[in-house]
Amino acid sequence: QDTFKIQTQRAFLDVYLADGTNIRLDIQTSDTADRILEVALCEMGLSRELIKYFSLFFFQDHDDGALSVVKKVAEFELPYVSLQSMKELRCKLGIRKWYMDLSLDTLLMDCRASLNLLYMQAIQEVKRNWIKPTEGQMQELEFLQKNANKAKFLESIRETQFYGYIRLDPCICDYPEEGCSADIYVGNNEINCCIKLPTSQTKEVSFKINRLRSWQVTFLCATKNGEEDDTLELRLEYNDSGTWQWITLYTKQ
């Protein structure tokens, strides 16, 4: 608050849902993320014991229609202040589920509010092509959506590839060779990379968490053509066919 000269005062904050609608909250600029999340979800009618399964995220809507999940908001963070500090990124504050165990969907489907939240996010991920259903699965999902069968829709979508994963923005990696672009999906105890090879072919590689020994995250800042060129470097030490090797992913900030 001191850095951005924001005094503690009353303010309005928009919290967005996966269907594009938003809830306008009457807050204090010093309210933490866990407080704002609680107020927003209680206003939607969510049971207090289910709040822990959701979290606030910063995300970006791009002009080309793409959606980027920038980061999960830490519980102690002040969302109002963070949004002011990221004005140039034009970020929004949104609610998304925050767990990797798909069996928890069944627990949350007993509450109408949480059922609606899961359904809205699932529909969004289908529209954004974040999940990879087969042709038959897609036809079934379209039928269930048309008939507004939310519970059955969520049961069916659990069988599709990458449902329940967090999808990151495309990045550059050095596996299997330098300069390859990759789409990254994190979930089900794996980091899954859909890698585009220089031959324009696509190779899907799954890095299992139990075969990772260590990792390093480095923020690289350089100046290129008079502008700052910020890159996040993630290095993974991975056991590939009995041999340990370092794999590096680069993403622009």
Side-chain angles (χ1 to χ4, degrees):
Q1 285 182 279
D2 289 341
T3 299
F4 296 97
K5 297 180 175 58
I6 297 175
Q7 297 180 347
T8 298
Q9 59 186 5
R10 181 182 174 187
F12 291 100
L13 183 66
D14 290 327
V15 179
Y16 287 83
L17 305 179
D19 65 350
T21 62
N22 69 282
I23 304 170
R24 172 154 288 193
L25 301 179
D26 187 349
I27 66 160
Q28 294 289 315
T29 55
S30 57
D31 282 344
T32 58
D34 57 352
R35 169 63 178 163
I36 289 173
L37 179 66
E38 180 182 3
V39 171
L41 291 178
C42 285
E43 188 169 315
M44 292 184 64
L46 189 77
S47 303
R48 288 185 180 275
E49 61 269 20
L50 300 181
I51 292 176
K52 62 184 178 181
Y53 298 113
F54 295 89
S55 184
L56 294 174
F57 289 81
F58 291 123
F59 66 92
Q60 293 172 294
D61 276 318
H62 299 285
D63 294 336
D64 61 0
L67 176 73
S68 297
V69 177
V70 178
K71 81 178 193 78
K72 178 181 179 291
V73 185
E75 289 81 0
F76 57 83
E77 205 167 340
L78 311 185
Y80 183 89
V81 177
S82 295
L83 284 170
Q84 301 305 308
S85 72
M86 298 189 296
K87 273 187 174 179
E88 69 281 1
L89 297 178
R90 293 184 298 172
C91 286
K92 293 181 179 179
L93 185 67
I95 297 176
R96 303 182 66 80
K97 67 179 183 181
W98 179 239
Y99 57 86
M100 297 287 184
D101 184 357
L102 298 186
S103 66
L104 291 173
D105 276 11
T106 304
L107 170 66
L108 297 176
M109 284 162 58
D110 290 335
C111 170
R112 170 176 277 188
S114 55
L115 172 65
N116 287 335
L117 285 168
L118 295 182
Y119 182 71
M120 285 188 287
Q121 185 171 330
I123 292 294
Q124 180 193 57
E125 292 178 2
V126 170
K127 290 181 177 179
R128 303 281 182 175
N129 295 318
W130 286 8
I131 63 172
K132 305 294 182 183
T134 63
E135 184 176 346
Q137 288 173 332
M138 191 64 193
Q139 290 176 351
E140 182 178 4
L141 292 175
E142 290 173 345
F143 174 79
L144 294 171
Q145 182 183 354
K146 183 178 180 180
N147 288 275
N149 193 332
K150 297 179 182 180
K152 190 65 178 177
F153 182 95
L154 290 171
E155 290 176 5
S156 180
I157 201 172
R158 285 170 58 184
E159 304 299 323
T160 63
Q161 186 182 24
F162 298 141
Y163 174 69
Y165 285 56
I166 295 177
R167 185 185 186 280
L168 307 181
D169 279 355
C171 66
I172 303 297
C173 66
D174 65 355
Y175 183 91
E177 54 186 286
E178 290 188 8
C180 294
S181 63
D183 291 329
I184 310 295
Y185 298 84
V186 181
N188 194 28
N189 294 319
E190 68 172 346
I191 300 173
N192 191 290
C193 299
C194 295
I195 302 172
K196 187 174 182 180
L197 304 174
T199 58
S200 295
Q201 293 178 309
T202 300
K203 179 178 182 179
E204 185 175 313
V205 180
S206 172
F207 299 112
K208 298 295 183 182
I209 298 298
N210 60 5
R211 293 170 65 184
L212 292 175
R213 182 161 64 181
S214 59
W215 62 89
Q216 298 174 354
V217 178
T218 307
F219 184 70
L220 308 175
C221 184
T223 302
K224 185 177 181 181
N225 298 326
E227 296 183 357
E228 286 190 357
D229 185 18
D230 298 334
T231 301
L232 193 67
E233 177 189 81
L234 170 62
R235 301 183 69 228
L236 310 170
E237 191 177 17
Y238 189 73
N239 191 325
D240 188 5
S241 302
T243 302
W244 289 99
Q245 68 178 95
W246 283 98
I247 298 165
T248 307
L249 308 174
Y250 299 96
T251 179
K252 296 292 184 182
Q253 296 297 295

Short mmCIF file of all heavy atoms in Angstrom, two decimals, residues 1 39 53 72 77 83 130 139 144-145 150 164 175 188 199 215 230 251:
data_model
loop_
_atom_site.label_atom_id
_atom_site.label_comp_id
_atom_site.label_asym_id
_atom_site.label_seq_id
_atom_site.Cartn_x
_atom_site.Cartn_y
_atom_site.Cartn_z
N GLN A 1 0.83 -1.20 0.00
CA GLN A 1 0.00 0.00 0.00
C GLN A 1 0.87 1.26 0.00
O GLN A 1 0.55 2.23 -0.68
CB GLN A 1 -0.91 0.00 1.23
CG GLN A 1 -2.09 -0.96 1.13
CD GLN A 1 -2.99 -0.88 2.34
OE1 GLN A 1 -2.72 -1.45 3.38
NE2 GLN A 1 -4.06 -0.12 2.20
N VAL A 39 -16.10 -13.47 0.98
CA VAL A 39 -17.25 -12.61 0.76
C VAL A 39 -17.92 -12.92 -0.58
O VAL A 39 -19.15 -13.04 -0.67
CB VAL A 39 -16.83 -11.12 0.82
CG1 VAL A 39 -17.98 -10.22 0.37
CG2 VAL A 39 -16.38 -10.74 2.22
N TYR A 53 -11.88 -25.05 -1.51
CA TYR A 53 -11.65 -25.71 -2.80
C TYR A 53 -11.57 -24.72 -3.96
O TYR A 53 -11.40 -25.14 -5.12
CB TYR A 53 -12.75 -26.73 -3.07
CG TYR A 53 -12.79 -27.84 -2.05
CD1 TYR A 53 -13.86 -27.97 -1.17
CD2 TYR A 53 -11.74 -28.75 -1.94
CE1 TYR A 53 -13.91 -28.97 -0.21
CE2 TYR A 53 -11.76 -29.76 -0.99
CZ TYR A 53 -12.84 -29.88 -0.14
OH TYR A 53 -12.87 -30.88 0.82
N LYS A 72 -2.04 -17.55 -9.39
CA LYS A 72 -2.93 -17.69 -8.25
C LYS A 72 -2.62 -16.57 -7.26
O LYS A 72 -1.47 -16.22 -7.06
CB LYS A 72 -2.71 -19.05 -7.59
CG LYS A 72 -3.55 -19.30 -6.34
CD LYS A 72 -3.22 -20.67 -5.76
CE LYS A 72 -4.02 -20.94 -4.48
NZ LYS A 72 -3.59 -20.07 -3.37
N GLU A 77 -2.30 -11.76 0.08
CA GLU A 77 -2.16 -10.68 -0.90
C GLU A 77 -3.35 -9.72 -0.85
O GLU A 77 -4.47 -10.11 -0.51
CB GLU A 77 -2.03 -11.29 -2.30
CG GLU A 77 -1.30 -10.43 -3.30
CD GLU A 77 -0.94 -11.23 -4.56
OE1 GLU A 77 -0.90 -12.46 -4.52
OE2 GLU A 77 -0.71 -10.56 -5.59
N LEU A 83 -3.83 -5.35 -8.33
CA LEU A 83 -4.38 -4.93 -9.62
C LEU A 83 -3.85 -3.56 -10.03
O LEU A 83 -3.60 -3.31 -11.21
CB LEU A 83 -5.91 -4.90 -9.56
CG LEU A 83 -6.61 -6.26 -9.62
CD1 LEU A 83 -8.09 -6.12 -9.32
CD2 LEU A 83 -6.41 -6.92 -10.98
N TRP A 130 -8.93 -25.94 -23.98
CA TRP A 130 -7.96 -26.32 -22.96
C TRP A 130 -8.00 -27.81 -22.68
O TRP A 130 -7.06 -28.37 -22.13
CB TRP A 130 -8.21 -25.54 -21.68
CG TRP A 130 -7.79 -24.10 -21.77
CD1 TRP A 130 -7.39 -23.44 -22.89
CD2 TRP A 130 -7.74 -23.16 -20.70
NE1 TRP A 130 -7.09 -22.14 -22.58
CE2 TRP A 130 -7.29 -21.93 -21.25
CE3 TRP A 130 -8.02 -23.23 -19.34
CZ2 TRP A 130 -7.12 -20.79 -20.47
CZ3 TRP A 130 -7.86 -22.09 -18.57
CH2 TRP A 130 -7.41 -20.88 -19.13
N GLN A 139 -19.32 -34.71 -28.82
CA GLN A 139 -20.73 -34.80 -29.18
C GLN A 139 -21.59 -35.00 -27.93
O GLN A 139 -22.66 -34.38 -27.79
CB GLN A 139 -20.95 -35.94 -30.17
CG GLN A 139 -20.38 -35.67 -31.55
CD GLN A 139 -20.53 -36.86 -32.49
OE1 GLN A 139 -20.93 -37.96 -32.06
NE2 GLN A 139 -20.21 -36.67 -33.75
N LEU A 144 -25.25 -32.76 -23.67
CA LEU A 144 -25.53 -32.50 -22.25
C LEU A 144 -25.62 -31.00 -21.96
O LEU A 144 -26.45 -30.57 -21.15
CB LEU A 144 -24.46 -33.14 -21.38
CG LEU A 144 -24.42 -34.68 -21.41
CD1 LEU A 144 -23.18 -35.19 -20.68
CD2 LEU A 144 -25.68 -35.26 -20.79
N GLN A 145 -24.78 -30.22 -22.64
CA GLN A 145 -24.84 -28.76 -22.46
C GLN A 145 -26.16 -28.21 -23.00
O GLN A 145 -26.79 -27.34 -22.38
CB GLN A 145 -23.66 -28.09 -23.14
CG GLN A 145 -23.63 -26.57 -22.96
CD GLN A 145 -22.48 -25.91 -23.70
OE1 GLN A 145 -21.62 -26.59 -24.28
NE2 GLN A 145 -22.46 -24.59 -23.72
N LYS A 150 -26.14 -30.28 -15.93
CA LYS A 150 -24.83 -29.88 -15.42
C LYS A 150 -24.09 -31.02 -14.72
O LYS A 150 -22.90 -31.21 -14.93
CB LYS A 150 -25.00 -28.69 -14.46
CG LYS A 150 -25.57 -27.44 -15.12
CD LYS A 150 -25.74 -26.31 -14.12
CE LYS A 150 -26.35 -25.08 -14.79
NZ LYS A 150 -26.52 -23.96 -13.82
N GLY A 164 -9.24 -30.77 -15.53
CA GLY A 164 -8.70 -30.67 -14.19
C GLY A 164 -7.25 -30.22 -14.14
O GLY A 164 -6.68 -30.04 -13.07
N TYR A 175 13.71 -29.25 -25.25
CA TYR A 175 13.51 -30.70 -25.33
C TYR A 175 12.47 -31.00 -26.40
O TYR A 175 11.44 -30.33 -26.44
CB TYR A 175 13.02 -31.23 -23.98
CG TYR A 175 12.84 -32.74 -23.94
CD1 TYR A 175 13.88 -33.57 -23.54
CD2 TYR A 175 11.63 -33.32 -24.31
CE1 TYR A 175 13.73 -34.95 -23.50
CE2 TYR A 175 11.46 -34.70 -24.28
CZ TYR A 175 12.51 -35.51 -23.87
OH TYR A 175 12.35 -36.87 -23.85
N ASN A 188 -2.64 -34.07 -12.45
CA ASN A 188 -2.54 -35.53 -12.36
C ASN A 188 -1.10 -35.98 -12.15
O ASN A 188 -0.65 -36.97 -12.74
CB ASN A 188 -3.13 -36.18 -13.62
CG ASN A 188 -3.37 -37.67 -13.44
OD1 ASN A 188 -3.59 -38.14 -12.32
ND2 ASN A 188 -3.29 -38.42 -14.51
N THR A 199 10.06 -29.79 -37.46
CA THR A 199 9.47 -30.42 -38.65
C THR A 199 7.97 -30.15 -38.75
O THR A 199 7.30 -30.68 -39.63
CB THR A 199 9.70 -31.94 -38.61
OG1 THR A 199 9.12 -32.46 -37.41
CG2 THR A 199 11.19 -32.26 -38.65
N TRP A 215 14.40 -28.72 -9.22
CA TRP A 215 14.03 -27.71 -10.21
C TRP A 215 14.58 -26.36 -9.78
O TRP A 215 14.86 -26.14 -8.61
CB TRP A 215 12.52 -27.64 -10.42
CG TRP A 215 11.74 -27.25 -9.20
CD1 TRP A 215 11.40 -26.00 -8.80
CD2 TRP A 215 11.19 -28.13 -8.21
NE1 TRP A 215 10.69 -26.02 -7.63
CE2 TRP A 215 10.55 -27.33 -7.24
CE3 TRP A 215 11.20 -29.52 -8.05
CZ2 TRP A 215 9.91 -27.87 -6.13
CZ3 TRP A 215 10.57 -30.04 -6.94
CH2 TRP A 215 9.93 -29.24 -6.02
N ASP A 230 11.81 -9.49 -20.46
CA ASP A 230 11.78 -10.30 -19.25
C ASP A 230 11.36 -11.73 -19.57
O ASP A 230 10.37 -11.96 -20.26
CB ASP A 230 10.79 -9.71 -18.24
CG ASP A 230 11.20 -8.30 -17.81
OD1 ASP A 230 12.39 -8.00 -17.89
OD2 ASP A 230 10.32 -7.52 -17.42
N THR A 251 9.49 -18.78 -20.67
CA THR A 251 8.24 -18.10 -20.97
C THR A 251 8.43 -16.61 -20.81
O THR A 251 9.10 -16.15 -19.89
CB THR A 251 7.10 -18.59 -20.06
OG1 THR A 251 5.90 -17.87 -20.39
CG2 THR A 251 7.41 -18.38 -18.60
#
